[in-house]
Amino acid sequence: MRQLHPIIIEEIPYSIKKYVKQMEKVTFPKQRCTSDVDILHTAKGRYVLKRAKREKYRKWLYKEYYVLKNIRALADFQSPSAYKFVLTAVIDWSGGT
């Protein structure tokens, strides 16, 4: 199992920083192995920030985003809101695929 690391502030895309504005703290919950997950605590509330570095996992993460964006159309169904999906250039430091 690969080692997961917290997402550091400098790695958060500018568009997300601009959206959430002032971050009060960032926490790193216990997690599995397909994506890194941090929780951004802000004055407006909490945001879950997920990052996948491998191509297969980025595709899975996009599918998750797509479902969250569209599931709210179902009557009487509550789910978290998906605000933004950002795709950036990725360097795979693990040497794997």
Side-chain angles (χ1 to χ4, degrees):
M1 187 183 316
R2 78 180 180 94
Q3 177 67 31
L4 299 175
H5 301 283
I7 301 168
I8 58 174
I9 300 290
E10 291 77 21
E11 294 177 315
I12 299 173
Y14 173 76
S15 60
I16 293 175
K17 288 180 187 176
K18 183 179 174 184
Y19 182 83
V20 301
K21 305 223 184 325
Q22 183 68 30
M23 286 180 269
E24 296 169 353
K25 70 177 179 175
V26 178
T27 56
F28 184 64
K30 184 178 178 181
Q31 47 201 282
R32 302 307 270 174
C33 63
T34 61
S35 62
D36 302 324
V37 178
D38 279 1
I39 300 173
L40 307 178
H41 301 263
T42 73
K44 293 193 318 185
R46 290 180 295 182
Y47 298 88
V48 175
L49 180 64
K50 296 182 81 172
R51 171 182 63 187
K53 291 185 176 180
R54 295 186 179 177
E55 181 65 26
K56 175 170 81 171
Y57 301 143
R58 286 194 302 266
K59 288 178 182 177
W60 292 358
L61 189 56
Y62 182 78
K63 288 178 183 177
E64 180 180 335
Y65 167 78
Y66 180 83
V67 168
L68 285 172
K69 283 296 279 185
N70 292 286
I71 202 166
R72 296 189 75 104
L74 298 174
D76 299 324
F77 189 84
Q78 293 185 1
S79 71
S81 296
Y83 290 105
K84 187 174 282 288
F85 186 90
V86 178
L87 184 61
T88 60
V90 175
I91 299 173
D92 185 355
W93 297 102
S94 69
T97 55

